[in-house]
Amino acid sequence: MRVLFALLLALPLLASAQTPASTSASAPANKPSAAASAPAVAKRKLTALAVTGESIQLLTLQADRGNLTSAGSWQLSPGSVFDSELLAAVSHAVAAAAPDREIKTYTSSTRSLFGDPASLFVDGKLTLPGTLGDALRGRGATHLFLITRAQQSPALVPALPDKIATPLEGAGFVIDLRPTGQIGIDGNPGLPILTAYLSLRVALVDLADYRLVKEQSILVGQRLPVERGVANPFVALSPEARLAALKALVAAELPQAIKTLLPK
């Protein structure tokens, strides 16, 4: 089993200076005030783990394949860079919605370490490889945000072309290269269609017993501009532009999911 590497994105601790309360003339001189004697309140700790992997899904529709979808993947470099983007968004979302919380984030260089995301929960409880769960709990965290891929129907995403036979999973793109009379987002007809999408599951786990508290599905797509004369708009996109398109979806969707899942 490959060793997890930690991406420490702990939120900065907010320390407010306290001025001891003045002692009244009638109070005993050796009795400290309540404000002076009250211990500092420690921040409640959270943790987050993203295991979507180092590749993104590619679904291609071509005229010679009829309604069949050609499925493939594109490897991100360096590995787990998308997981790192997800975790950065989680940290920012927690900082904005709950500044009284501290969060540490973790990822893995390989998704295969965790197996099928759908099998991570058995009877409503999370099973993590090795002693990872105990390690997270041993750092004082009370709850875990777990972000995994999720298989969901492409028919639920209005931005996607019709009749895609392959489920969406994780982060990816759909490229429709078939002749089409659809109007593109730039108002021009007959162009290929390129859509970026996310299909993720965000689960909140109580680390006291690894119980699933609640979860949120993210399923969203956004069509991207396509230039006339470009045979394959995905190939025409630079790796940086591909990642930027996915990051834009993360920034639009993940903060609200985290806010909804935050433990009381």
Side-chain angles (χ1 to χ4, degrees):
M1 182 176 69
R2 300 180 64 177
V3 180
L4 292 177
F5 65 91
L7 295 173
L8 183 57
L9 298 172
L11 305 179
L13 294 177
L14 303 178
S16 58
Q18 289 188 352
T19 303
S22 59
T23 305
S24 65
S26 60
N30 61 349
K31 183 178 180 180
S33 67
S37 60
V41 178
K43 283 193 172 186
R44 290 177 290 172
K45 295 181 179 180
L46 305 171
T47 189
L49 174 65
V51 287
T52 65
E54 60 267 357
S55 64
I56 63 172
Q57 186 181 29
L58 297 179
L59 301 178
T60 305
L61 300 168
Q62 294 175 295
D64 58 355
R65 296 181 180 271
N67 290 328
L68 296 179
T69 307
S70 174
S73 65
W74 174 62
Q75 294 295 121
L76 291 164
S77 180
S80 295
V81 64
F82 185 66
D83 281 343
S84 300
E85 296 295 343
L86 290 171
L87 293 171
V90 171
S91 291
H92 291 312
V94 171
D100 62 325
R101 310 292 178 92
E102 178 184 351
I103 186 165
K104 293 183 179 180
T105 61
Y106 301 86
T107 187
S108 169
S109 59
T110 174
R111 183 167 58 103
S112 62
L113 177 66
F114 295 85
D116 183 0
S119 302
L120 287 174
F121 288 89
V122 178
D123 296 328
K125 288 194 174 183
L126 174 65
T127 301
L128 289 173
T131 59
L132 175 58
D134 292 336
L136 296 175
R137 186 167 59 180
R139 294 179 178 270
T142 61
H143 291 82
L144 165 71
F145 291 115
L146 178 65
I147 307 176
T148 62
R149 296 172 178 239
Q151 283 198 357
Q152 301 183 79
S153 171
L156 300 176
V157 183
L160 292 178
D162 296 332
K163 300 179 181 180
I164 298 176
T166 305
L168 304 182
E169 184 178 4
F173 294 86
V174 169
I175 313 106
D176 189 350
L177 301 178
R178 299 171 299 179
T180 176
Q182 297 186 56
I183 303 299
I185 61 174
D186 57 359
N188 293 320
L191 295 175
I193 294 174
L194 177 62
T195 304
Y197 65 81
L198 297 179
S199 182
L200 303 174
R201 179 192 193 191
V202 187
L204 176 68
V205 178
D206 189 334
L207 288 177
D209 55 6
Y210 305 113
R211 176 177 53 88
L212 174 64
V213 179
K214 50 186 174 178
E215 62 183 314
Q216 185 93 12
S217 291
I218 295 177
L219 181 59
V220 63
Q222 178 66 52
R223 289 194 183 184
L224 304 178
V226 172
E227 294 184 9
R228 185 168 295 281
V230 173
N232 188 317
F234 178 78
V235 173
L237 273 186
S238 68
E240 294 78 13
R242 296 168 189 171
L243 184 57
L246 297 176
K247 286 171 61 176
L249 292 178
V250 170
E253 299 295 326
L254 189 56
Q256 183 56 47
I258 295 300
K259 184 178 179 180
T260 300
L261 294 175
L262 270 172
K264 303 297 183 182

